[in-house]
């Protein structure tokens, strides 16, 4: 069975970069009829909070990305300790005591010599007495995984054939000096024990994947199918990392972006297929093909989400908007005709308020000085309320006959007098919805 997972750290709110990873793993699992696990990487007790964990679930639920079960890494610390003991027994785990300053000096020395800035494994030469002395002086050290210095190869689901020389990579730290278990080993243990078959994540994890493959093999696990999607940039190709905080899913939601607009965009962005609005998550699942994604950095512009949002709303029946219309106070007998008028003139749901306010309260008329006398003459001919579907045509015909005006010179001043705007819905449809006309008051 296909098993995928999304493993965010509950140390902040989800952003569009996180969503890309979550969505790809979700779509793969659902397309194969498999299992999608939400796994909270909460091994950092100082930064992980229940608030962020709950917010992650809210965001995924808003988007309709349902999970089959939730796992927390903080509840599995005994499993990571057992794995660490196994690696020690196999001679693949060793304690190192260098300070950050010492490591930095080593890296600079290696770079000056034209060598890769990898850890020199000096800790492997320490005697037991030297280790005891360092623990007494500095406290516990970090625990590093000893890589086999050979080429690590795999066929990536997006990047193709990958080959990395393990000698060019530092032995990764798996447990910090304070005892905190790091993602690199926790993820391996979880993926192995939970039967994860496919892992999709950002291309910044490629080197991490190489080291994890060796850790998986050292622990006797099965290596999943790895795929690394491109990283997002801004619309001009600029680094997006500094702006991800402003692209939190909760902020996009508050700005009125519709879930299917966001999902449709992210499910195709960076692939050879054009972005197309889909009507449901099931349609996204059916059309998803990981092999169509490329390795090149992918430009993301949040402004692209709003035309998709508007298009999505235009496709909605009035029944899907009933809660919004009820909240605005639109009478049930007017909801169908109001939605017909409003849907093509809004970008997000928030735009409905402006149009209902116009219908309910009337608009401050916009009358150009040269049209003042004409509008006054026209308003004297305005039919009595309530208006009906023929009110606009009968009124404009009467005004045309009396004033001789026609075309834009006739219609535009009258539209502006009734709505305060120079553009908008078909006036023959809008007029029957008007409860008040300020220009006549």
């Amino acid at each position: 069975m296909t098993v995928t997972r999304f493993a965010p750290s509950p140390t902040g709110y989800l952003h569009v970069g996180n969503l890309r990873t979550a969505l790809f793993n979700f779509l793969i699992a659902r397309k194969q009829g498999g299992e999608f696990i939400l796994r909270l990487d909460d091994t950092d007790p100082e930064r992980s909070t229940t608030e962020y964990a709950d917010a992650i679930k809210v965001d995924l639920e808003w988007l309709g990305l349902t999970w089959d079960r939730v796992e927390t890494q903080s509840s599995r610390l005994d499993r990571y300790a057992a794995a660490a003991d196994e690696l020690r027994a196999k001679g693949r785990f060793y304690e190192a005591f260098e300070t950050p300053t010492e490591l930095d000096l080593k890296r600079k020395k290696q770079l000056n010599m034209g060598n890769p800035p990898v850890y020199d494994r000096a800790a492997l030469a320490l005697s037991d007495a030297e280790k005891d002395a360092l623990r007494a002086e500095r406290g516990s050290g970090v625990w590093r995984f000893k890589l086999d210095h050979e080429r690590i190869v795999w066929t990536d689901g997006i990047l193709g054939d990958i080959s990395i020389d393990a000698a060019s990579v530092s032995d990764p730290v798996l447990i910090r000096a304070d005892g905190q278990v790091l993602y690199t080993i926790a993820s391996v243990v979880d993926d192995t024990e939970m039967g994860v078959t496919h892992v999709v994540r950002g291309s910044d994890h490629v080197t991490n994947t190489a080291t994890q493959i060796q850790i998986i093999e050292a622990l006797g696990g099965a290596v999943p199918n790895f795929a690394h999607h491109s990283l997002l940039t801004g619309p001009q190709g600029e680094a997006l990392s500094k702006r991800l905080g402003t692209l939190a899913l909760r902020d996009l939601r508050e700005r009125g972006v519709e879930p299917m607009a966001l999902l449709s965009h992210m499910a195709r962005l960076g692939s050879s297929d054009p972005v197309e609005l889909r009507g449901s998550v099931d349609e996204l699942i059916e059309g998803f093909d990981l092999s169509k994604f490329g390795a090149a950095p992918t430009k993301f512009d949040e402004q692209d989400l709003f035309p998709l949002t508007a298009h999505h709303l235009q496709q909605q029946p009035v029944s899907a908007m009933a809660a919004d219309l009820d909240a605005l106070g639109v009478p049930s007998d007017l909801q169908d005709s109001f939605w017909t008028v409003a849907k093509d003139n809004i970008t997000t749901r928030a735009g409905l308020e402006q149009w209902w306010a116009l219908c309910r309260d009337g608009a401050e008329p916009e009358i150009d000085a040269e049209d003042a006398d004409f509008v006054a003459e026209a308003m004297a001919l305005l039919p009595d309320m309530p208006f009906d579907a023929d009110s606009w045509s009968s009124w404009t015909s009467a005004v045309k006959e009396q004033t001789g005006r026609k075309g834009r010179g006739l219609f535009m001043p009258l539209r502006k007098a009734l709505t305060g705007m120079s553009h908008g819905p078909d006036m023959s449809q809008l007029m029957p919805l008007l409860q008040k006309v300020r220009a006549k008051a």
Side-chain angles (χ1 to χ4, degrees):
M1 181 176 69
T2 298
V3 180
T4 68
R5 46 74 166 181
F6 174 49
S9 298
T11 57
Y13 297 113
L14 292 185
H15 52 66
V16 291
N18 302 134
L19 171 59
R20 203 149 181 251
T21 299
L23 179 59
F24 285 12
N25 285 288
F26 170 84
L27 293 175
I28 289 171
R30 292 292 176 257
K31 190 165 187 177
Q32 299 299 323
E35 185 177 44
F36 176 62
I37 301 170
L38 173 59
R39 194 169 75 210
L40 298 175
D41 178 5
D42 58 351
T43 57
D44 185 342
E46 293 183 3
R47 298 177 60 224
S48 299
T49 69
T50 301
E51 175 193 357
Y52 287 132
D54 291 342
I56 287 169
K57 295 175 184 177
V58 168
D59 284 339
L60 294 178
E61 289 170 343
W62 170 62
L63 292 166
L65 303 186
T66 55
W67 52 87
D68 296 297
R69 72 178 199 261
V70 177
E71 299 281 356
T72 58
Q73 292 190 326
S74 61
S75 66
R76 293 175 49 79
L77 297 179
D78 60 329
R79 302 302 308 140
Y80 312 141
D85 287 341
E86 184 177 345
L87 292 176
R88 289 188 190 96
K90 291 180 175 179
R92 301 297 295 276
F93 218 22
Y94 64 94
E95 195 172 8
F97 299 88
E98 288 87 355
T99 66
T101 300
E102 289 170 343
L103 289 173
D104 188 51
L105 289 172
K106 287 186 178 188
R107 281 191 291 266
K108 289 178 178 177
K109 182 178 179 180
Q110 289 170 319
L111 287 170
N112 289 336
M113 295 172 63
N115 297 323
V118 299
Y119 178 60
D120 61 8
R121 293 183 163 179
L124 286 174
L126 295 173
S127 66
D128 289 343
E130 288 172 324
K131 292 177 185 177
D132 290 340
L134 285 167
R135 288 191 194 97
E137 176 189 342
R138 303 181 177 185
S140 298
V142 301
W143 284 88
R144 291 180 179 269
F145 175 74
K146 184 182 177 184
L147 292 166
D148 283 335
H149 283 176
E150 59 188 23
R151 299 206 74 83
I152 304 169
V153 298
W154 75 92
T155 299
D156 194 274
I158 293 175
L159 304 178
D161 291 337
I162 301 291
S163 176
I164 293 178
D165 182 1
S168 68
V169 182
S170 290
D171 289 342
V173 174
L174 303 189
I175 300 178
R176 295 195 330 188
D178 62 3
Q180 183 186 329
V181 176
L182 297 184
Y183 169 84
T184 313
I185 187 170
S187 179
V188 163
V189 174
D190 290 346
D191 288 345
T192 299
E193 296 188 358
M194 295 176 190
V196 171
T197 60
H198 294 72
V199 175
V200 184
R201 52 189 180 186
S203 58
D204 52 337
H205 280 283
V206 168
T207 300
N208 189 35
T209 292
T211 61
Q212 286 185 316
I213 286 175
Q214 280 208 6
I215 300 170
I216 292 168
E217 292 172 340
L219 292 172
V223 177
N225 295 290
F226 284 102
H228 296 81
H229 60 69
S230 59
L231 299 182
L232 298 179
T233 72
Q236 306 305 318
E238 70 275 22
L240 199 63
S241 56
K242 294 182 179 178
R243 293 188 51 231
L244 286 176
T246 65
L247 294 174
L249 302 190
R250 58 186 279 138
D251 294 331
L252 294 176
R253 180 166 69 246
E254 289 174 2
R255 291 166 62 189
V257 172
E258 290 288 319
M260 282 313 304
L262 180 55
L263 291 175
S264 297
H265 191 62
M266 300 307 288
R268 288 285 184 84
L269 189 66
S271 78
S272 57
D273 288 331
V275 172
E276 295 177 342
L277 180 68
R278 298 300 184 187
S280 68
V281 172
D282 286 342
E283 287 184 31
L284 289 178
I285 295 168
E286 180 64 28
F288 183 71
D289 186 347
L290 190 68
S291 68
K292 293 188 175 183
F293 287 83
T298 301
K299 294 181 180 179
F300 172 81
D301 186 347
E302 65 265 38
Q303 294 306 313
D304 293 336
L305 299 172
F306 292 97
L308 286 170
T309 288
H311 188 196
H312 171 78
L313 290 173
Q314 290 165 10
Q315 296 179 347
Q316 300 308 299
V318 66
S319 58
M321 306 301 295
D324 299 86
L325 301 179
D326 287 342
L328 288 174
V330 181
S332 56
D333 61 322
L334 293 181
Q335 288 190 2
D336 189 69
S337 54
F338 174 71
W339 177 237
T340 298
V341 164
K343 67 181 181 180
D344 293 329
N345 293 275
I346 60 173
T347 300
T348 68
R349 292 172 190 256
L352 290 170
E353 185 174 359
Q354 171 195 1
W355 287 106
W356 180 241
L358 164 63
C359 295
R360 182 190 62 225
D361 305 327
E364 190 66 34
E366 181 182 329
I367 303 172
D368 297 333
E370 63 270 22
D371 292 323
D373 292 340
F374 165 71
V375 171
E377 190 173 357
M379 294 310 294
L381 298 173
L382 186 70
D384 292 333
M385 301 181 77
F387 301 130
D388 58 30
D390 297 321
S391 296
W392 175 252
S393 60
S394 61
W395 180 41
T396 53
S397 294
V399 174
K400 177 181 178 180
E401 183 176 344
Q402 179 160 317
T403 65
R405 283 213 189 192
K406 57 185 178 179
R408 182 180 176 85
L410 168 67
F411 298 119
M412 184 59 70
L414 300 185
R415 172 186 285 278
K416 292 165 70 174
L418 291 187
T419 70
M421 294 179 285
S422 58
H423 62 279
D426 183 333
M427 287 300 296
S428 63
Q429 294 182 312
L430 179 60
M431 269 190 79
L433 294 166
L434 298 179
Q435 317 288 300
K436 184 184 297 184
V437 175
R438 295 192 197 180
K440 194 178 182 182

